[in-house]
C-alpha cells in the first residue's frame, strides 16, 4: 500500500490535466498524485517530466491511498458521462470529508445535481471553472471554484498556489456554493463569445471599408492594445492577422474556413439568461453569428439575394476617422457585453441563493483567463464604489466612455447597415443601450396585443391594479385578478 504522500491529485491526463498537474507540482509545498484510465498517459507524463516528482497510480484505490487526508482530487475529463463515471469511482474509494473537484466545463445544473448527490456520502464536491486554456493550466489560470466553505479551507491554498497573479493577487476566489463556480465560468465564456465577435466585426468593417490588408489591420489592433482596449484577445488578434500561410503565401486569415466552432457554453449562457429573464443580446448575437457561419449550405443558396447597389469604400481622407469610429464602437459594445454578463451573474445568484461578490469576480478575471484585460480593473472599481450597482454601464467611468463613443457607435452601425456588412453584435449592443435608457418602450403595445388575444391583462400608469379590456364584447375595461 503506497504511502499517503500527495496533498493533491489529478485524474485525467490529456493536455489540460497534464498541464494542470505540472503546474501543481511546480509550486512549493505540493506533491501531486496522478491517475489516468489508460496508464500509458500516466507513464508518458512521468517519463517526460521526472522533475515533477509525481506519485503515479494504477487504480483508483491506489490513487486514494497515495493522498493525504482530507484527500483532494481534481477531475480533468470530458464533461457529461465520463465525469459522472470518475465521480462514482472516486466516491467508492474516498471517505467523508474528502474533496472531489470537477475542473471541466460542466453545465452548472449538472454540478448542482452532482454536489447534492455526493454530499449525501459526506464527501465534498466542488465544481471549479478553470479559464486560460492549455497555457493557462500550465502557467497560471483564472479559477472559479464553488462548493462548500469546508472544502475551500483545504482547497483555497492549493488553488491560490497555481492561479495566475494580477497586481499581486491570485486570480481565484470562492465564488459560492454548489454550482456557483461553473455558473460564473459559463457566463465568462459567454462574454468571451461577445468579445471575440465584436473584434471580428471591427476587423471586417475596417478591411471591407478601407481595403487594408490583414497585416496592416494587425498594426491597428496592436496600437489599440496600448490603450483602453488593452486585452489578451486584442493582442492575439494582431498576432493572428500578421500570420502568413506557409503553403500559399497568403494571410492565414484568408485561408481559414469561415465557419466558427462552439462547445456549448455560449448557448448555455443564452439559454440560462432567457430562463432568468435577463437580456444578454450581445452574447446571444455572437452565439448566433457562429451558428450562421456554420451553415454554408444555406449561405450558398442565399448568396444571390440582393444587397446595396454601391460597394462600400471609405475615402483616404476619412480613413483615420472611420478606424477611430470603429475603435470607439468596439469599446462601447464591449461595455454592454460585460454589463449584460454581470447582470446574468447577479440574477443567477439571486435565483440559486449564492452570495457572489461581483467585484471579486472582475479581479480574478484580470489574469490567466481568455477575457483578461485592463478594462476589468474599471469594473472592480465600479463595484468597490457601489457594491449593489444595478447596471454596470451606469458607473461614472463607463457612462462617460459610452457618452464619448456613442456618436461613433451610431455612425458605425448605420454605415454597416447601409453597406450590407453584418454587424449583429455592434447593432444589438446599441439597441440594448437605447432600450435600457428609454423613458418608455413599445412594450405597452405588446401588452395590449397580449390582452386582446389571450386576456393576459395589463397594468396602467395612472392607477394601481390589474386590468383587462373586453375586446370581443363592448370593449369596456374591467379590473382583473392579479395573476403575477
Amino acid at each position: 500500500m503506497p504511502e499517503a504522500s500527495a496533498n493533491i491529485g489529478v485524474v485525467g491526463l490529456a493536455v489540460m490535466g497534464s498541464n494542470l498537474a505540472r503546474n501543481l507540482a511546480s509550486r512549493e509545498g505540493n506533491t501531486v498524485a496522478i491517475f489516468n484510465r489508460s496508464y500509458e498517459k500516466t507513464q508518458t507524463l512521468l517519463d517526460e517530466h521526472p522533475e515533477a516528482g509525481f506519485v503515479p497510480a494504477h487504480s483508483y484505490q491506489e490513487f486514494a491511498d497515495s493522498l493525504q487526508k482530507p484527500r483532494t482530487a481534481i477531475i480533468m475529463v470530458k464533461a457529461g458521462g465520463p465525469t459522472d463515471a470518475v465521480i462514482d469511482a472516486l466516491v467508492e474509494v474516498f471517505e467523508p470529508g474528502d474533496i472531489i473537484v470537477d475542473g471541466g466545463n460542466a453545465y452548472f445544473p449538472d454540478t448542482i445535481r452532482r454536489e447534492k448527490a455526493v454530499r449525501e456520502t459526506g464527501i465534498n464536491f466542488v465544481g471549479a471553472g478553470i479559464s486560460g486554456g492549455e497555457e493557462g493550466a500550465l502557467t497560471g489560470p483564472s479559477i472559479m471554484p464553488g462548493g462548500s466553505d469546508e472544502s475551500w479551507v483545504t482547497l483555497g491554498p492549493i488553488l491560490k498556489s497555481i492561479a495566475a497573479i494580477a497586481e499581486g493577487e491570485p486570480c481565484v476566489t470562492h465564488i459560492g456554493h454548489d454550482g456557483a463556480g461553473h455558473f460564473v465560468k459559463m457566463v465568462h465564456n459567454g462574454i468571451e463569445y461577445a468579445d471575440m465577435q465584436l473584434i471580428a466585426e471591427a476587423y471586417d468593417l475596417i478591411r471591407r471599408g478601407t481595403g487594408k490588408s490583414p497585416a496592416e489591420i494587425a498594426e491597428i489592433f496592436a496600437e489599440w492594445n496600448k490603450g483602453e482596449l488593452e486585452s489578451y484577445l486584442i493582442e492575439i488578434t494582431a498576432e493572428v492577422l500578421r500570420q502568413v500561410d506557409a503553403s500559399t503565401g497568403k494571410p492565414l486569415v484568408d485561408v481559414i474556413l469561415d465557419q466558427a466552432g462552439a462547445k456549448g457554453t455560449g448557448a448555455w449562457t443564452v439559454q440560462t439568461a432567457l430562463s432568468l429573464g435577463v437580456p444578454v443580446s450581445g452574447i446571444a448575437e455572437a452565439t448566433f453569428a457562429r451558428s450562421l457561419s456554420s451553415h454554408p449550405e444555406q449561405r450558398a443558396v442565399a448568396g444571390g439575394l440582393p444587397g446595396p447597389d454601391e460597394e462600400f469604400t471609405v475615402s483616404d481622407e476619412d480613413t483615420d476617422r472611420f478606424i477611430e469610429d470603429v475603435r470607439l464602437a468596439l469599446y462601447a459594445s464591449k461595455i454592454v457585453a460585460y454589463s449584460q454578463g454581470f447582470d446574468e451573474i447577479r440574477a443567477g445568484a439571486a435565483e440559486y441563493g449564492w452570495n457572489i461578490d461581483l467585484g471579486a469576480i472582475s479581479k480574478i478575471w484580470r489574469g490567466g483567463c481568455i477575457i483578461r484585460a485592463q478594462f476589468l480593473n474599471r469594473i472592480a472599481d465600479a463595484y468597490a464604489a457601489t457594491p449593489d450597482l444595478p447596471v454596470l454601464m451606469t458607473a461614472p467611468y463607463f457612462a462617460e466612455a459610452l457618452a464619448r463613443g456613442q456618436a461613433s457607435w451610431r455612425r458605425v452601425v448605420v454605415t454597416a447597415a447601409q453597406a450590407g456588412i453584418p454587424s449583429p453584435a455592434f447593432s444589438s449592443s446599441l439597441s440594448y443601450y437605447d432600450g435600457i435608457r428609454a423613458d418608455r418602450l413599445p412594450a405597452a403595445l405588446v401588452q395590449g396585443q397580449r390582452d386582446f388575444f389571450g386576456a393576459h391583462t395589463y397594468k396602467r400608469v395612472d392607477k394601481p391594479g390589474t386590468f383587462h379590456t373586453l375586446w370581443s364584447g363592448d370593449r369596456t375595461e374591467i379590473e382583473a385578478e392579479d395573476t403575477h
Side-chain angles (χ1 to χ4, degrees):
M1 196 168 133
E3 179 188 355
S5 58
N7 68 311
I8 182 71
V10 177
V11 177
L13 301 177
V15 176
M16 281 289 289
S18 295
N19 282 1
L20 196 70
R22 289 171 57 197
N23 186 350
L24 284 160
S26 71
R27 312 296 172 153
E28 187 176 351
N30 289 338
T31 301
V32 185
I34 55 174
F35 175 75
N36 195 78
R37 187 177 61 170
S38 161
Y39 190 77
E40 184 181 353
K41 284 189 177 178
T42 306
Q43 190 62 54
T44 298
L45 189 59
L46 290 169
D47 293 343
E48 291 179 353
H49 299 283
E51 77 287 350
F54 290 125
V55 179
H58 289 81
S59 68
Y60 281 107
Q61 187 62 61
E62 191 177 341
F63 177 74
D65 291 341
S66 69
L67 288 166
Q68 300 165 2
K69 296 180 182 180
R71 301 178 182 88
T72 305
I74 303 176
I75 301 170
M76 298 298 290
V77 301
K78 190 175 180 182
T83 296
D84 284 320
V86 174
I87 292 168
D88 290 345
L90 287 175
V91 166
E92 288 295 315
V93 295
F94 275 21
E95 298 173 355
D98 292 346
I99 305 165
I100 299 172
V101 183
D102 176 12
N105 259 346
Y107 190 27
F108 78 92
D110 290 337
T111 303
I112 292 173
R113 167 181 59 80
R114 289 165 177 153
E115 194 277 337
K116 183 179 179 182
V118 173
R119 191 192 329 140
E120 292 178 358
T121 71
I123 297 169
N124 290 291
F125 181 79
V126 176
I130 300 177
S131 178
E134 297 170 8
E135 180 185 351
L138 181 61
T139 61
S142 174
I143 312 174
M144 294 150 259
S148 67
D149 295 336
E150 177 191 6
S151 63
W152 177 244
V153 172
T154 300
L155 197 57
I158 297 170
L159 296 183
K160 287 176 182 178
S161 77
I162 64 167
I165 302 294
E167 300 183 24
E169 297 177 303
C171 293
V172 58
T173 190
H174 186 208
I175 301 294
H177 295 155
D178 55 68
H182 276 143
F183 180 91
V184 167
K185 175 57 163 56
M186 174 192 75
V187 176
H188 163 283
N189 284 25
I191 294 171
E192 179 186 309
Y193 273 53
D195 222 341
M196 294 172 71
Q197 177 65 24
L198 288 165
I199 291 170
E201 290 177 18
Y203 154 75
D204 196 32
L205 281 159
I206 292 173
R207 187 164 190 192
R208 291 168 69 169
T210 69
K212 289 184 180 292
S213 68
E216 290 172 319
I217 300 173
E219 296 311 309
I220 293 169
F221 276 93
E223 190 62 32
W224 287 358
N225 200 45
K226 297 174 183 177
E228 60 190 2
L229 278 169
E230 182 273 317
S231 67
Y232 173 70
L233 284 171
I234 293 287
E235 176 189 339
I236 68 168
T237 296
E239 294 299 318
V240 172
L241 292 175
R242 286 191 186 110
Q243 186 68 18
V244 175
D245 176 51
S247 61
T248 64
K250 296 179 180 178
L252 179 64
V253 73
D254 287 348
V255 298
I256 295 175
L257 193 65
D258 63 337
Q259 297 173 26
K263 291 189 174 179
T265 47
W268 291 346
T269 305
V270 177
Q271 290 163 352
T272 302
L274 285 169
S275 69
L276 293 171
V278 178
V280 293
S281 50
I283 297 169
E285 288 296 350
T287 306
F288 288 134
R290 293 197 189 187
S291 300
L292 178 63
S293 76
S294 300
H295 285 283
E297 74 293 346
Q298 290 185 311
R299 291 164 58 199
V301 173
L305 291 173
D309 293 333
E310 296 181 10
E311 189 173 342
F312 170 57
T313 55
V314 177
S315 63
D316 291 343
E317 58 267 27
D318 288 336
T319 294
D320 288 347
R321 193 191 82 158
F322 177 70
I323 291 171
E324 178 63 4
D325 277 351
V326 172
R327 185 188 73 82
L328 288 167
L330 174 56
Y331 195 57
S333 299
K334 180 185 177 83
I335 291 170
V336 169
Y338 281 74
S339 189
Q340 291 178 345
F342 277 87
D343 281 349
E344 180 166 357
I345 293 172
R346 182 191 297 102
E351 176 71 18
Y352 294 100
W354 299 320
N355 183 21
I356 297 181
D357 182 337
L358 298 178
I361 289 171
S362 63
K363 286 185 174 183
I364 68 169
W365 287 350
R366 292 178 302 178
C369 70
I370 303 303
I371 62 173
R372 60 185 182 265
Q374 176 249 347
F375 174 87
L376 287 155
N377 279 315
R378 301 295 190 177
I379 297 178
D381 292 344
Y383 285 118
T386 312
D388 58 349
L389 184 66
V391 181
L392 176 61
M393 63 186 183
T394 62
Y397 172 82
F398 296 120
E400 185 279 328
L402 290 164
R404 175 166 44 90
Q406 75 155 317
S408 294
W409 196 8
R410 296 183 191 285
R411 281 195 294 269
V412 166
V413 170
V414 168
T415 299
Q418 290 177 334
I421 299 174
S423 58
F426 274 151
S427 55
S428 68
S429 298
L430 179 58
S431 290
Y432 172 83
Y433 172 77
D434 284 334
I436 202 164
R437 67 178 194 84
D439 288 336
R440 187 163 169 81
L441 292 167
L445 177 58
V446 173
Q447 281 298 89
Q449 293 167 334
R450 294 178 72 238
D451 189 58
F452 190 106
F453 66 69
H456 291 294
T457 74
Y458 53 85
K459 294 183 184 295
R460 295 176 59 100
V461 299
D462 55 355
K463 57 184 176 181
T466 302
F467 301 91
H468 166 59
T469 292
L470 300 172
W471 297 103
S472 57
D474 62 5
R475 302 207 171 185
T476 57
E477 183 180 78
I478 61 171
E479 191 157 3
E481 182 180 346
D482 190 347
T483 58
H484 300 287

